[in-house]
Amino acid sequence: MHVPEITVGELVLRPFKDKDAAALFRLFSKDEVTRFMDIASFRNITDATQIITYFRELQQAEEGFRMAIMLGTELVGTCGYHKWNKPHFKAEIGYDLLPEYWGKGIMTVAVGALLDFGFQEMELNRTEAFVDPLNTPSSRLLGRLGFQKEGLLRDAFFEKGTFVDAEIYSLLKADHVREYIW
């Protein structure tokens, strides 16, 4: 599966390069970034190089992909699809951002561009997102992008030694409207 570079406003979404390891380590070594993720905060650069390899394997297997979110020359976050279920025309999204960029509209634009790609190029009909009920910024982002909350999955995931609930959100192709500019 070919994933192109996507430019929207000042942002560029692109596949990862080996040279991104240090920036990815900076991002995923922050506990506030990984708090609601199913990965532990990175402790060394090897964690970053391994996840870049994982992202490439995910893309080669056509099970999804992850992209670097670039603002100028700085990697400020990531976003992508995983659990791509082609027979059912659906996939799950994930995203993260350096804390110093929270609340600036970057993720609305980045995930909006990702959704455009998913519905147009991947031929998705449904995009899903699972959100920890305590992660209200993520829930607000999904609401801005037109996602509908479908319910609460109790003890849906086992993360970092404990069971956690998850709110499930979805966006259908028929409901996707691009109204955001950054």
Side-chain angles (χ1 to χ4, degrees), residues 138-153:
S138 185
S139 298
R140 284 194 305 266
L141 167 68
L142 295 171
R144 280 193 304 277
L145 292 167
F147 279 75
Q148 299 295 310
K149 181 178 173 182
E150 295 183 337
L152 177 72
L153 304 173

Side-chain angles (χ1 to χ4, degrees), residues 3-8 11-15 65 67-68 110 113-114 117:
V3 178
E5 189 171 281
I6 300 169
T7 301
V8 55
L11 297 180
V12 174
L13 280 59
R14 63 160 173 77
F65 59 88
M67 301 179 84
L114 180 69
F117 181 81

Side-chain angles (χ1 to χ4, degrees), residues 122-146:
M122 296 170 64
E123 300 179 347
L124 297 177
N125 181 62
R126 176 183 170 91
T127 300
E128 297 176 338
F130 293 89
V131 179
D132 187 303
L134 300 175
N135 191 350
T136 54
S138 185
S139 298
R140 284 194 305 266
L141 167 68
L142 295 171
R144 280 193 304 277
L145 292 167

Side-chain angles (χ1 to χ4, degrees), residues 62 81-92 118-119 122-128 170-173:
E62 294 192 353
Y81 286 102
H82 53 279
K83 298 183 181 167
W84 185 11
N85 187 327
K86 289 183 191 179
H88 295 284
F89 299 88
K90 68 179 182 175
E92 184 181 327
F119 289 127
M122 296 170 64
E123 300 179 347
L124 297 177
N125 181 62
R126 176 183 170 91
T127 300
E128 297 176 338
S170 72
L171 180 65
L172 303 181
K173 182 176 185 174

Side-chain angles (χ1 to χ4, degrees), residues 73-101:
T73 59
E74 183 179 9
L75 189 153
V76 298
T78 78
C79 63
Y81 286 102
H82 53 279
K83 298 183 181 167
W84 185 11
N85 187 327
K86 289 183 191 179
H88 295 284
F89 299 88
K90 68 179 182 175
E92 184 181 327
I93 60 168
Y95 42 83
D96 46 74
L97 190 66
L98 284 168
E100 56 264 36
Y101 293 98

Side-chain angles (χ1 to χ4, degrees), residues 29-49:
S29 65
K30 296 183 180 302
D31 291 338
E32 61 265 45
V33 172
T34 62
R35 176 180 176 199
F36 297 112
M37 296 173 70
D38 61 355
I39 61 171
S41 295
F42 287 0
R43 300 293 172 225
N44 59 60
I45 195 77
T46 303
D47 294 335
T49 58

